[in-house]
């Protein structure tokens, strides 16, 4: 599967958030007032809940926002269809799931498959799911980190774009999950900014499990 060839216009990003939105902020800061230079611009921010830090950051940046709460729909497929429609309205080249704590469904994958980037706070394929940091700590690993990957129909199983490593120290106790997560997020924000920028500027090709950057048209 190949991405569309990069055009001169910055790629359109729709960013999905559930939490404090520091990864979104890192993207906004990297883009600054020169989306041409970065190669992408955030055109809208969506969330699965109201009143999150991520939405506030988007509003402060003057971006359109939308909220699709799972509880507002009769079924998960209906929620998925509504989320798909809300994202599609903004005609994204890439959808970035930046701390979005929901698994997307069939409609969403049909609409944006191969163009959805997720960031996860562990070294996949180890410790997928909602508690990557906690699970890695509990397992007793000596290194963990973060993974930026394409989303497929599994839970954190899609082709890997980039990974960053963070050492786990003796001080990282089970109670210290938040501190370890903060250290991971410091690495993660740079990784995400770098990965999304490269996808947008250079194009990419997905072959099986392999993601090749900058090989469009070959
Ligand atoms: C990030 O660490 C991201 O990897 C994680 O949520 C955090 C969001 O931080 N996502 C997951 O755990 C998804 N399974 P942020 O709201 O400050 O960007």
């Amino acid at each position: 599967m190949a991405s569309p060839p990069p055009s001169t216009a910055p790629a359109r990003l729709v960013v999905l958030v559930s939490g404090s939105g520091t990864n979104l902020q890192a993207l906004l800061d990297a883009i600054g007032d020169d989306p041409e230079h970065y190669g992408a611009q955030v055109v809208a921010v969506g969330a699965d809940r109201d009143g999150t830090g991520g939405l506030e950051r988007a509003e402060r940046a003057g971006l359109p926002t939308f909220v699709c709460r799972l509880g507002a729909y009769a079924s998960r497929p209906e929620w998925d269809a509504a989320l798909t429609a809300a994202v599609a309205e903004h005609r994204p080249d890439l959808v970035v799931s930046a701390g979005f704590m929901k698994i997307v469904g069939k409609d969403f994958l049909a609409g944006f498959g191969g163009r959805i980037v997720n960031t996860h706070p562990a070294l996949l394929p180890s410790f997928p799911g909602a508690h990557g940091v906690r699970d890695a700590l509990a397992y007793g690993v000596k290194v963990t980190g973060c993974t930026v990957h394409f989303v497929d129909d599994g839970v954190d199983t899609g082709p890997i774009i980039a990974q960053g490593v963070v050492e786990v120290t003796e001080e990282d106790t089970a109670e210290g999950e938040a501190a370890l997560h903060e250290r991971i997020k410091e690495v993660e924000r740079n990784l995400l900014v770098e990965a999304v920028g490269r996808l947008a500027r250079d194009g990419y090709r997905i072959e099986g499990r392999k993601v090749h950057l900058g090989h469009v048209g070959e």
Side-chain angles (χ1 to χ4, degrees):
M1 183 185 295
S3 65
S7 66
T8 46
R12 298 173 63 83
L13 309 179
V14 170
V15 182
L16 300 178
V17 295
S18 298
S20 61
T22 64
N23 280 284
L24 163 67
Q25 190 66 54
L27 285 168
L28 293 174
D29 292 347
I31 295 164
D33 53 12
D34 196 354
E36 276 80 15
H37 182 75
Y38 180 68
Q41 61 182 328
V42 179
V43 294
V45 173
D48 62 334
R49 60 198 78 179
D50 296 293
T52 65
L55 283 177
E56 279 167 27
R57 290 175 195 276
E59 277 152 21
R60 271 204 298 279
L63 292 166
T65 61
F66 56 89
V67 175
C68 281
R69 287 192 312 106
L70 182 55
Y73 298 88
S75 67
R76 203 165 177 110
E78 281 174 55
W79 168 79
D80 187 58
L83 181 69
T84 305
V87 170
E89 233 176 79
H90 299 282
R91 295 177 288 108
D93 296 303
L94 291 171
V95 179
V96 182
S97 161
F100 187 61
M101 303 302 282
K102 288 278 183 301
I103 307 295
V104 295
K106 280 203 172 72
D107 280 9
F108 202 89
L109 289 169
F112 311 112
R115 294 189 286 142
I116 314 163
V117 175
N118 180 48
T119 179
H120 181 75
L123 291 173
L124 295 172
S126 294
F127 314 115
H131 304 290
V133 180
R134 186 197 302 174
D135 294 345
L137 258 182
Y139 199 87
V141 296
K142 300 298 185 195
V143 292
T144 185
C146 43
T147 304
V148 176
H149 65 98
F150 283 107
V151 171
D152 66 6
D153 59 0
V155 176
D156 300 325
T157 52
I160 290 172
I161 303 162
Q163 293 188 297
V165 175
V166 173
E167 225 173 294
V168 180
T169 68
E170 288 294 324
E171 282 77 54
D172 288 314
T173 58
E175 296 74 47
E177 180 189 342
L180 176 59
H181 197 171
E182 270 317 308
R183 297 212 308 285
I184 291 171
K185 282 170 70 167
E186 276 168 32
V187 175
E188 185 178 26
R189 289 189 278 263
N190 292 332
L191 193 78
L192 182 68
V193 164
E194 180 71 17
V196 170
R198 287 205 61 192
L199 295 171
R201 287 189 301 273
D202 304 341
Y204 62 93
R205 193 157 49 90
I206 305 173
E207 271 180 7
R209 291 217 50 86
K210 296 272 168 60
V211 177
H212 304 279
L213 294 168
H215 287 264
V216 169
E218 286 179 13

